[in-house]
Amino acid sequence: MTEAERAAPGHDHSVALVTASYAGDMERFRLLCETLDRHAQGYSRHLVLVSGRDAALFRPFEGPRRHIVNENELLPEWLHDMPDPFNLGGRRLWLSWRGWPLRGWHIQQLRKIAIARHVDEHALVFLDSDVAFVKAFDARTVVRSDGSVRLFRRPFELVRRPPSEQHVWSRNAGRILGLGSTTSPHDYIATLIAWRTASVRAMIERIENACSRHWVEALARQRAFSECMIYGRFSDEFDDRTHHFHDDTEWCHTYWGGPGLTEGGIRDFLDAMGESQVAVALQSFTGSDIGDLRRVIG
């Protein structure tokens, strides 16, 4: 069987890459595409999830294996976006009568969950717009021969860490999944992670049964949530144990916060990459110049 046949949608172990993005991340997304096309293999297609108003801006990136997906195809019609009246920087709010107003970072999480109901691939690998590959990456490594899918988990990380947002997200994941105000000792949040498509669909069903409402409405009512924490807790506490295998190896070297890195700082950051790390991510809110990163990685 050829690589293309193994990666094709519908094959038992096929993998799709997924990026939720928006117009403000366009240049970062451009670098992601360039480095992904240079270094990545073993995937069927790259699905790019954007708002309806941004879809036309992203169309030029489409190709044989890259497809732009309008969020209107994924999210319920009762969720509408509008300019944020309290922000002059072009930010938007998503409103409905079913929950609290949501911001773009909420909606990107909802899109990532929703896409599982629209694909045939066995697994999904999520890449943020600010990811840039610097080494070879084979997406097929997220699936073992028995079909189990890699679940990133830092074991007992929340036990060692002082109270934080992660604890709030873990507790809210418990509520959404019908576990009450419980927390998990584990942290599931990272950049460049995999989900098993059928498990995401089962998670959606679990949320709707536990909350007696549409899953998007359930999350909108909670508002403070992490899609990684919800999926991680569902996979560990509800899903069949044979569906996943745990791994705490971080594949992406991520700069989560701090002052913007200069070109020299970016070089030092890349020099500190672990042997197993294949990509870097400089969070956009740090203000690090994407042009500097492009020059450093060539």
Side-chain angles (χ1 to χ4, degrees), residues 106-265:
H106 293 113
I107 297 300
Q108 290 197 14
Q109 294 184 69
L110 298 181
R111 294 176 195 153
K112 289 159 69 175
I113 296 172
I115 192 63
R117 284 184 163 176
H118 298 266
V119 300
D120 296 324
E121 284 85 358
H122 181 71
L124 306 169
V125 173
F126 294 95
L127 321 167
D128 291 340
S129 293
D130 47 19
V131 168
F133 286 91
V134 295
K135 300 178 186 175
F137 173 66
D138 190 336
R140 290 168 297 195
T141 58
V142 305
V143 186
R144 286 181 172 169
S145 59
D146 62 359
S148 60
V149 174
R150 180 184 192 265
L151 175 63
F152 176 82
R153 187 178 79 173
R154 295 186 189 91
F156 302 101
E157 176 69 18
L158 297 190
V159 176
R160 294 187 289 266
R161 183 181 298 180
S164 64
E165 279 187 313
Q166 278 88 339
H167 292 84
V168 174
W169 296 335
S170 182
R171 184 176 301 110
N172 287 345
R175 291 170 177 152
I176 289 166
L177 294 169
L179 294 168
S181 298
T182 61
T183 59
S184 167
H186 312 306
D187 185 12
Y188 304 92
I189 299 172
T191 304
L192 192 52
I193 60 171
W195 289 356
R196 179 177 174 271
T197 305
S199 294
V200 184
R201 295 171 184 162
M203 180 186 78
I204 291 172
E205 184 176 350
R206 172 68 195 181
I207 293 171
E208 293 185 336
N209 289 338
C211 299
S212 300
R213 52 178 50 93
H214 193 284
W215 69 271
V216 171
E217 180 181 353
L219 269 65
R221 284 170 176 254
Q222 199 65 66
R223 201 165 189 273
F225 60 86
S226 160
E227 81 283 29
C228 298
M229 200 70 79
I230 299 169
Y231 179 81
R233 291 201 63 179
F234 173 81
S235 299
D236 269 350
E237 300 177 50
F238 289 99
D239 209 6
D240 189 316
R241 293 298 178 89
T242 66
H243 290 164
H244 297 89
F245 64 94
H246 293 125
D247 192 344
D248 64 355
T249 305
E250 295 192 51
W251 287 344
C252 184
H253 187 38
T254 304
Y255 185 62
W256 291 106
L261 295 180
T262 62
E263 189 168 331

Side-chain angles (χ1 to χ4, degrees), residues 262-279:
T262 62
E263 189 168 331
I266 293 172
R267 292 185 187 280
D268 292 340
F269 183 71
L270 266 67
D271 287 342
M273 287 180 67
E275 185 177 346
S276 62
Q277 293 177 323
V278 299

